[in-house]
Amino acid sequence: QRVFYSTRPIKSTSAAASPAMLLHEVLQSASISVDDMALDVVKSRPDKRPVASIVSCRRKYLLGLLTALRAAAVNPFRAEPAPCALLRVAAVRHRVPRKAKTVLRMFLGGDQGLAVLSVSNVPFVWRYFSLSAGNEANGILSVTRTLQTLSKPCGHELPIDIVVVHGRPDLREMIVSE
């Protein structure tokens, strides 16, 4: 919840911009200090359009996590937001048809879920959402519409090709019928 993540199209003028410059551009504020933030940018072309995925969090949160891992004798290979890691593992374990480029993956738990919209396995946008008992279909439909709307400023306007639901097999009948 303490991680900022955004995918945006790259304009030719910002293709060589620094990660801090891209973050300021996305946040539309030059007054936010990014000096105390851990920041990275991953550039890709999942839809034949150049995009930059910007991820940042305050250094103190990341250092706290890394310190705890090192104290447990764990040497981390990579630090990434949990939704990115879940998407990476899910894309390998639960493949989708090749022609499905835009995939919405729903990771459902007991009372909350995580929806990740990806294009060619590159996460574009995600949202956590609540799953209230008996009203799960509305929660899933609502977050789906939200991510469709939020994907436009991220530079992606194509429809969702496939929705993959992970977890909560008890909801299968309800989800299929809705």
Side-chain angles (χ1 to χ4, degrees), residues 80-88 107 114-116 123 126 128:
E80 65 183 340
C84 291
L86 279 171
L87 175 65
R88 189 170 36 80
F107 300 93
L114 168 67
V116 181
W126 66 68
Y128 293 94

Side-chain angles (χ1 to χ4, degrees), residues 67-139:
T67 302
L69 289 172
R70 287 190 186 111
V74 174
N75 229 356
F77 171 71
R78 103 179 7 145
E80 65 183 340
C84 291
L86 279 171
L87 175 65
R88 189 170 36 80
V89 172
V92 170
R93 290 189 179 173
H94 305 282
R95 297 193 186 275
V96 296
R98 277 188 189 192
K99 62 181 174 183
K101 296 289 184 208
T102 305
V103 178
L104 176 60
R105 290 189 184 263
M106 301 273 184
F107 300 93
L108 305 181
D111 59 352
Q112 66 178 358
L114 168 67
V116 181
L117 182 71
S118 66
V119 180
S120 300
N121 292 326
V122 174
F124 264 63
V125 64
W126 66 68
R127 283 292 179 265
Y128 293 94
F129 62 100
S130 355
L131 285 172
S132 37
N135 202 20
E136 293 93 345
N138 285 337

Side-chain angles (χ1 to χ4, degrees), residues 156-175:
H156 183 71
E157 297 185 18
L158 298 175
I160 295 171
D161 295 319
I162 192 166
V163 177
V164 181
V165 179
H166 303 275
R168 296 290 305 266
D170 59 311
L171 297 178
R172 181 172 173 78
E173 288 298 318
M174 182 268 311
I175 291 172

Side-chain angles (χ1 to χ4, degrees), residues 22-120:
L22 289 171
L23 180 61
H24 278 298
E25 187 178 296
V26 168
L27 296 175
Q28 296 181 354
S29 171
S31 64
I32 294 176
S33 172
V34 296
D35 294 337
D36 64 337
M37 300 180 94
L39 176 63
D40 197 11
V41 171
V42 176
K43 295 178 183 176
S44 60
R45 298 177 59 91
D47 209 10
K48 305 278 192 268
R49 298 168 75 189
V51 296
S53 297
I54 305 162
V55 63
S56 69
C57 72
R58 300 230 180 265
R59 284 189 202 282
K60 67 180 182 181
Y61 300 130
L62 185 59
L63 290 177
L65 174 64
L66 293 175
T67 302
L69 289 172
R70 287 190 186 111
V74 174
N75 229 356
F77 171 71
R78 103 179 7 145
E80 65 183 340
C84 291
L86 279 171
L87 175 65
R88 189 170 36 80
V89 172
V92 170
R93 290 189 179 173
H94 305 282
R95 297 193 186 275
V96 296
R98 277 188 189 192
K99 62 181 174 183
K101 296 289 184 208
T102 305
V103 178
L104 176 60
R105 290 189 184 263
M106 301 273 184
F107 300 93
L108 305 181
D111 59 352
Q112 66 178 358
L114 168 67
V116 181
L117 182 71
S118 66
V119 180
S120 300

